[in-house]
Amino acid sequence: MRRTIVTGGAGFIGSHTCVELLAAGIEPVIVDDLRNSEERVLEGLEKITGRKPVIHRIDCTDAQALNKVFAAERPDSVIHFAADKAVGESVRDPLKYYHNNIGSLATLLRTMAKHGIKDIVFSSSCTVYGEGDKLPVTEDSRTGAAASPYGYTKVVCEQMLRDASAADADLCVVMLRYFNPIGAHPSAHIGELPIGVPNNLVPFITQAAAGLRDKLTVFGNDYPTRDGSCIRDYIHVVDLAKAHVLALQWIAKQNAPLCEVFNLGTGQGNTVLEAVHTFEEVNGVKVPFVIGPRRPGDVVAMYADTAKSLKVLGWRTERTLADSMRDAWRWQQALGK
Ligand code: UD1
């Protein structure tokens, strides 16, 4: 069986990708120190796949520890999810973000070189487009003006991969720019585990609906959109996970060095209020909310042009916003907290 190192494999997108890898006959080897996850994700993975996940609990900036993992596991490829991702925290503590997000990728690339591993799939974000010079954004839209230190770490990591690829004639790099990943596995065994008060919309919606939060604040209803709230491209995490498998399989088929970037979104923009109302309708639950001021750093609208992912990877989303909201609610209920 082919084996891939999955850094951050106990995280939200990483854990769902482990499920899809196994389903495709690729063994995930998780590298994750669980700083932003919990044991229950590993238990959930076992329930879904029937296999105990292989995990090495190390920090990806620890070169020695990473070297040992590569020597022991002899992987064929790497998918790199491990990163800090809280936009607000990155503004307060930017060095944590530059150290962890950039340091881990640099360490990983050096370790891969040492062990002759050539294939890497990297978790990037639509945040690299900043405001976006056109909508929907295509992969060749202008990048580089991110809205936060977190966003800049993605810009720098993408550049690091391009530079590494230019210097190493054999490297195969796929960078996946995620739009807004939401939802959970339909089994409700794995899902998102926000720490403390959620920053992201959907975990806040589910916690408000469950009575764990007083009410959701919708950040602004005076934007130039159809109902005044911001527009995002919300993508079901299982659809997103499947794209990683296709990316690895595509790299293997090319049999040539490459460095490519793909948007992973639905291609549909939805407003915050549409997201809230879809949640209410599909689950028959009310979400208490108020309208508040705009959140600094938010872009008005962002959604993906997905033509390249369809044409090259043969990937398209199969799940709707309603599916995502149903699965997010099932997960919140399974969490029971
Ligand atoms: C942000 C990052 C993105 C990152 C993602 C996951 C930017 C520009 N975007 O996306 O790169 O991958 O987080 O961490 O840095 N909203 C509310 N009330 C809330 C929470 C959110 O109204 O309590 C609204 C926001 O204003 C926004 C939408 O919901 O319009 C989505 O927000 P959020 O889930 O935080 O994601 P982004 O900011 O789009």
Side-chain angles (χ1 to χ4, degrees), residues 131 173 190 335:
E131 277 286 345
V173 177
I190 54 172
L335 267 176

Coordinates of all heavy atoms in Angstrom, one line a residue, residues 131 173 190 335:
E131 N -8.4 40.9 -1.2 CA -9.7 41.4 -1.7 C -10.2 40.6 -2.9 O -11.3 40.5 -3.2 CB -9.7 42.9 -2.0 CG -9.9 43.8 -0.7 CD -11.4 43.7 -0.2 OE1 -12.3 43.3 -0.9 OE2 -11.6 44.2 0.9
V173 N 4.9 19.6 -6.7 CA 4.2 20.4 -5.7 C 2.7 20.7 -6.2 O 2.6 21.1 -7.3 CB 4.9 21.7 -5.5 CG1 4.1 22.6 -4.5 CG2 6.3 21.5 -5.0
I190 N -16.2 12.4 13.3 CA -15.2 13.5 13.3 C -15.8 14.8 12.7 O -16.8 14.8 12.0 CB -14.0 13.1 12.4 CG1 -14.3 12.7 11.0 CG2 -13.1 12.0 13.1 CD1 -13.1 12.5 10.1
L335 N -21.1 15.9 19.7 CA -20.1 16.4 20.7 C -20.7 16.6 22.1 O -20.0 16.3 23.1 CB -19.7 17.8 20.2 CG -18.4 17.9 19.4 CD1 -18.2 19.4 19.0 CD2 -17.2 17.4 20.1

